[in-house]
Amino acid sequence: MAIKEKERADKELRDYGIIYLSGNINQDAAERVCKEIIEFNIKGSISQVQMVINSPGGSCSEGFSIIDIMEWSKIPIYTTGIGLIASMGLLIFMTGEKGHRVVTPRTAILSHRFSAGSFGNHSQLIAGRKEEDMLHERILNHYMTYSVVKDRNELEAYLLRDVDTWLTTEEALRMGIVDVVEPMKKRL
């Protein structure tokens, strides 16, 4: 799709209060989404924002910038997961307005511990480790805020293990990560 066509399509979605977050969570995606949420709040012309998410995740700091703006928003933000909501994409999805976090039946859902790489001298590695520990705590607190799991050990044993945890939509419902699984339409 040409750049002009994509910009026109994005503008048309924004006219209806829809944000489409697809692909990696990076600086460009976070900047675009944060600006759109701020713009919706300034204009005050819509009663809710609908954020459609199809993301494998990405940068934790960029993802938390989106989460911070979602929590700041005076306008409720409803989330819909399609395709894949994984890693930071899942954390953003979970931040949606309680009762309005919807997935389609074939949505793939992935939860896991974040990964990072460190390099530098000894002092830099120690400082980096502190940030990694603080990031892990932020992620744990986010899950305990936006799911029914309130026990750190249970979170680390099931949702934030050392290996990827793929969830069915029913498991995500039970864990309180998802509120609604959109029913399949029957075909004749």
Side-chain angles (χ1 to χ4, degrees), residues 118-173:
S118 298
F119 59 91
N121 65 37
H122 183 249
S123 298
Q124 291 166 323
L125 292 172
I126 291 171
R129 177 56 197 249
K130 180 178 179 184
E131 170 57 19
E132 290 166 1
D133 289 342
M134 291 182 341
L135 179 57
H136 183 66
E137 288 300 316
R138 276 184 225 125
I139 292 169
L140 284 170
N141 289 333
H142 191 78
Y143 271 91
M144 288 189 283
T145 299
Y146 289 100
S147 76
V148 297
V149 182
K150 304 300 179 199
D151 180 74
R152 176 189 178 105
N153 293 330
E154 186 181 348
L155 273 173
E156 290 179 326
Y158 187 68
L159 291 173
L160 296 173
R161 301 180 305 162
D162 290 332
V163 297
D164 290 347
T165 301
W166 291 95
L167 301 168
T168 65
T169 54
E170 291 77 20
E171 289 171 319
L173 271 170

Side-chain angles (χ1 to χ4, degrees), residues 15-31:
D15 289 345
Y16 292 101
I18 299 170
I19 296 173
Y20 188 69
L21 177 57
S22 180
N24 289 326
I25 308 300
N26 57 31
Q27 184 174 357
D28 291 338
E31 181 178 341

